[in-house]
Amino acid sequence: MQIWIILPLLVPLLTGVSALIRYRKIRRTFVMAGTFVNMMVSLFILFHLRNGGVFVSQMGGHPAPYGISIVVDTLSAILLAVTGIMAFAITLYSHGTIDANRERFAYYPLLAFLLMGINFSFLSGDLFTLYVAFEVMLMSSFVLLTLGGERPQLGGGMNYVTLNLISSTIFLIAAGLTYAVAGTLNLADLAQRLSGLPAPGITTLLAGLFLIAFGIKAAIFPLFFWLPESYHTPPIAITALFGGILTKVGIYSMWRILVMIFPQDLTYLQPLILTIAALTMITGVLGAIAQTEIRRLLSFHIVSQIGYLMMGMGLLTTVSLTGAVFFMVHVIFAKTVLFLISGITHKMQGSYELKQLGGFQKSHPLVAVLFLLAALSLAGVPPLPGFWAKLILIQAGLESQQYGIVAVALIVSILTLFSMTKIWHEVFWKTAKIETLIEKKSANRQVRWLMAPTVLLIAFIILLGIFAEPVYQISRQAALGILEPSAYVEGVLLLEENDQ
Amino acid sequence: MLLVFAITAGVIFACGVYLMLRRSMVRLIIGLSLLTYAVNLLIFSMDDLGTRGAPIIDSTPPEQMADPLPQALILTSIVISFGVLAFTLALGYRASQAIQSDNLDDLKSTDDEV
């Protein structure tokens, strides 16, 4: 029994509850301490699982296929750690950007409950727990997205809520049908029972349903329209958190379920998935190029990057999934940082429109350097982690002789670079057209809460680039963990013998 | 019995989707909740319907017990959908107040205030 792996659930829950307190300073201290402890716990778990392995905890002591299993393997541990870092950074950032009114209406508790939902999804060991975790996450995200009730938020929120509820419904249908087919909902048990079945069959239907359900959440090609409609409407701290993490929870579930349980159907569906991946990349980046508002532009980039993650799953080799895991870690950091920087420029010049912003490389060279690092990493320029991740993915594509998807991935990289230079030119090089709202001296004090997390995340990006080899090894362990789930299956199912 | 369940679930699904495709906010919300009812029926039909007894130890022999898992799933799903319904109703109310209409198309222009 490794009961302490429920700490990533318990800590955010207690944080959320304690953040309901009325006094602003105590509340902020609680939230900061809570997210910090959560980050440390997650990093600790990752440290223990860096060479593969599985931690399992059976809730209530019921043995594996019957009770609720909380499972962490390397992939979950990586994402828990990244989420922990991100949540801590966003909490710091929120101190400087969230208005008093939103804060009074339970902003911080919701943030903590959202964190709990995300962690819960990474820890779930069976389909129905995963559904419940998704609902915890979605409910918090619904409220966070619409908190404040400004008109754009209501419109975007309506889209977001509707599409995500439809996705949950399809997920529930798929889970119900899986239970009818296999007689179990435990992921380890399912992996054992279903992975041998012939490819075009009843399991292919289930795989397709899961692909649609998680595809809506992950914003893959024909199902992504809710994302650019809604993500730019809430305060920037929330946009950054959603843009960084939420779609990746969908991708994580897709990997966990499709790769681990339905690998033979995934091989059968490979042409479809690679086509979806290519179209997701292209439509995302073309949409981004057409935008003139930073938040919308970056929202379309989220969609584009999802394509690379789909590509890694579609190729279905150890190398491709290693690359995809690496890419996921990097893109969560890079994307969040870009949103955070757009928040800083908004704080200083009061706009998100490219046309109105300008002159930052002269007035705030540090902000310009931070943006440049994140943007070049996103596009994939050599010493930065984005390059290594894309290199591994493209190598995997060449090994599998899927030249079409490799060509698309390379072209989309160039287009990404192009749209990043557009922001660079408009926001940083161009001379400023409007007065900078905050004078330099007071800027330091006001922007301190905004700069600290941004610098923290940029430091992580640089570290990911420098220590690419260890990151590669950990990603490889994560990829092996879902491609050859024997360790996972044994870890979850054999525990019942140890207990009895 | 299974056929009746399948047809009922299908009809409710059709109603839900039809309502969601209307432009009215109220119908959208009713459609969404109908969908969850249809899914509950679908999960309920995972077990042999009406042929077995209640899954209570000492009242039914184990081999005649109905599978309790689908019922547990439905119970959870009902609770969750209740919460979601409450939230969507509140959101719909706020949205209809903001745009002074029930028409979803009026809500479309998310950039009005930017």
Side-chain angles (χ1 to χ4, degrees):
Chain A
M1 272 295 199
Q2 287 137 334
I3 195 73
W4 51 271
I5 62 167
I6 65 162
L7 278 179
L9 299 181
L10 213 54
V11 173
L13 180 67
L14 292 178
T15 311
V17 173
S18 63
L20 286 167
I21 200 161
R22 261 186 69 203
Y23 306 102
R24 189 155 161 262
K25 278 198 173 157
I26 304 178
R27 180 172 54 205
R28 286 187 164 190
T29 318
F30 272 140
V31 177
M32 245 191 326
T35 46
F36 183 76
V37 170
N38 173 66
M39 176 172 80
M40 283 303 154
V41 168
S42 308
L43 286 170
F44 180 70
I45 292 177
L46 176 62
F47 178 75
H48 274 274
L49 288 172
R50 67 192 185 284
N51 294 322
V54 185
F55 287 153
V56 188
S57 179
Q58 313 285 4
M59 293 295 100
H62 296 290
Y66 307 111
I68 293 172
S69 313
I70 298 291
V71 190
V72 198
D73 67 351
T74 314
L75 178 63
S76 310
I78 291 175
L79 288 166
L80 277 178
V82 174
T83 310
I85 297 167
M86 216 52 67
F88 181 61
I90 295 290
T91 309
L92 292 181
Y93 197 85
S94 301
H95 289 347
T97 50
I98 297 299
D99 50 283
N101 210 17
R102 281 197 174 85
E103 200 180 320
R104 205 174 316 129
F105 281 97
Y107 171 81
Y108 287 114
L110 285 166
L111 199 67
F113 293 140
L114 179 73
L115 176 64
M116 183 180 89
I118 297 171
N119 283 353
F120 198 9
S121 327
F122 295 145
L123 289 170
S124 313
D126 69 84
L127 275 178
F128 199 74
T129 315
L130 186 62
Y131 169 73
V132 175
F134 265 34
E135 291 301 317
V136 173
M137 182 178 87
L138 284 178
M139 280 307 275
S140 319
S141 72
F142 290 165
V143 186
L144 276 178
L145 191 78
T146 50
L147 194 67
E150 291 161 21
R151 200 184 140 181
Q153 279 187 299
L154 293 173
M158 211 69 200
N159 273 316
Y160 179 81
V161 170
T162 311
L163 263 297
N164 275 293
L165 287 183
I166 293 173
S167 150
S168 295
T169 309
I170 297 173
F171 180 22
L172 201 54
I173 295 171
L177 291 179
T178 308
Y179 183 70
V181 170
T184 179
L185 287 172
N186 189 293
L187 294 182
D189 210 11
L190 281 171
Q192 202 182 20
R193 289 184 191 204
L194 294 184
S195 59
L197 296 181
I202 185 81
T203 51
T204 317
L205 174 76
L206 296 175
L209 277 175
F210 281 119
L211 182 67
I212 296 170
F214 298 136
I216 296 177
K217 290 205 202 304
I220 63 173
F221 166 60
L223 312 167
F224 69 85
F225 293 100
W226 58 270
L227 193 147
E229 276 293 305
S230 59
Y231 267 24
H232 63 283
T233 55
I236 192 74
I238 300 174
T239 308
L241 186 64
F242 282 20
I245 300 276
L246 283 197
T247 47
K248 277 70 181 181
V249 180
I251 286 286
Y252 161 81
S253 316
M254 215 186 260
W255 289 350
R256 173 69 70 207
I257 307 247
L258 292 184
V259 177
M260 205 168 86
I261 301 176
F262 303 105
Q264 70 283 1
D265 307 293
L266 214 51
T267 320
Y268 177 73
L269 292 172
Q270 191 185 42
L272 174 73
I273 290 176
L274 287 181
T275 315
I276 290 175
L279 288 171
T280 310
M281 286 182 211
I282 295 171
T283 42
V285 83
L286 290 184
I289 287 171
Q291 296 300 323
T292 55
E293 207 252 45
I294 299 187
R295 290 176 303 175
R296 290 184 147 236
L297 196 156
L298 292 174
S299 296
F300 269 104
H301 269 299
I302 300 174
V303 177
S304 176
Q305 312 303 329
I306 291 295
Y308 287 92
L309 301 173
M310 289 293 288
M311 171 185 166
M313 185 180 80
L315 294 171
L316 206 65
T317 61
T318 315
V319 183
S320 77
L321 272 170
T322 308
V325 174
F326 198 147
F327 194 85
M328 177 124 95
V329 174
H330 144 256
V331 84
I332 292 175
F333 279 111
K335 185 57 53 176
T336 308
V337 165
L338 288 174
F339 275 116
L340 294 186
I341 291 171
S342 80
I344 295 176
T345 54
H346 175 258
K347 185 99 180 171
M348 288 172 176
Q349 295 197 333
S351 173
Y352 287 110
E353 288 292 333
L354 288 179
K355 268 183 197 162
Q356 293 176 359
L357 293 162
F360 273 92
Q361 60 110 13
K362 244 187 195 151
S363 58
H364 301 87
L366 177 63
V367 180
V369 170
L370 293 178
F371 172 82
L372 199 63
L373 282 169
L376 290 181
S377 180
L378 193 73
V381 171
L384 296 161
F387 167 73
W388 302 112
K390 280 185 184 171
L391 182 72
I392 303 167
L393 272 175
I394 282 161
Q395 195 185 352
L398 292 178
E399 276 173 13
S400 312
Q401 299 181 328
Q402 298 284 356
Y403 300 117
I405 190 85
V406 170
V408 172
L410 290 172
I411 292 168
V412 170
S413 289
I414 294 175
L415 291 175
T416 307
L417 189 61
F418 167 71
S419 77
M420 285 299 143
T421 48
K422 189 167 110 181
I423 300 185
W424 173 253
H425 176 255
E426 294 286 327
V427 179
F428 295 94
W429 260 2
K430 191 178 66 182
T431 44
K433 281 184 184 155
I434 45 174
E435 285 290 302
T436 303
L437 288 180
I438 301 167
E439 290 305 315
K440 253 196 164 177
K441 276 183 186 169
S442 64
N444 287 336
R445 220 182 59 232
Q446 284 210 24
V447 179
R448 193 180 53 193
W449 284 116
L450 281 64
M451 287 303 278
T454 316
V455 172
L456 175 79
L457 294 184
I458 284 285
F460 272 105
I461 291 185
I462 294 171
L463 285 178
L464 280 178
I466 294 172
F467 296 102
E469 173 65 23
V471 179
Y472 171 80
Q473 291 301 343
I474 297 178
S475 308
R476 194 180 145 78
Q477 289 301 332
L480 284 174
I482 49 173
L483 267 175
E484 292 156 15
S486 54
Y488 188 94
V489 172
E490 281 167 22
V492 176
L493 294 181
L494 284 189
L495 205 83
E496 72 189 284
E497 289 166 20
N498 298 341
D499 273 357
Q500 280 162 2
Chain B
M1 191 65 175
L2 191 61
L3 191 68
V4 176
F5 261 79
I7 292 171
T8 315
V11 170
I12 298 179
F13 260 120
C15 295
V17 172
Y18 176 78
L19 284 174
M20 285 172 62
L21 294 177
R22 306 272 88 193
R23 287 204 177 79
S24 151
M25 209 170 315
V26 177
R27 287 180 194 166
L28 173 78
I29 294 169
I30 296 174
L32 276 174
S33 59
L34 275 185
L35 279 193
T36 57
Y37 291 132
V39 179
N40 289 345
L41 273 185
L42 188 121
I43 297 177
F44 198 63
S45 63
M46 295 298 113
D47 194 21
D48 296 339
L49 293 161
T51 54
R52 300 197 220 168
I56 301 169
I57 299 171
D58 294 340
S59 82
T60 320
E63 63 274 12
Q64 286 174 16
M65 277 184 188
D67 186 352
L69 193 84
Q71 300 167 24
L73 298 191
I74 293 169
L75 200 60
T76 317
S77 140
I78 287 173
V79 174
I80 290 175
S81 65
F82 181 71
V84 169
L85 180 64
F87 176 76
T88 42
L89 279 174
L91 179 64
Y93 176 67
R94 278 300 294 275
S96 66
Q97 271 193 327
I99 58 173
Q100 294 296 320
S101 116
D102 183 45
N103 192 336
L104 280 170
D105 281 355
D106 295 345
L107 205 60
K108 232 175 163 183
S109 46
T110 45
D111 284 327
D112 276 1
E113 289 181 1
V114 175

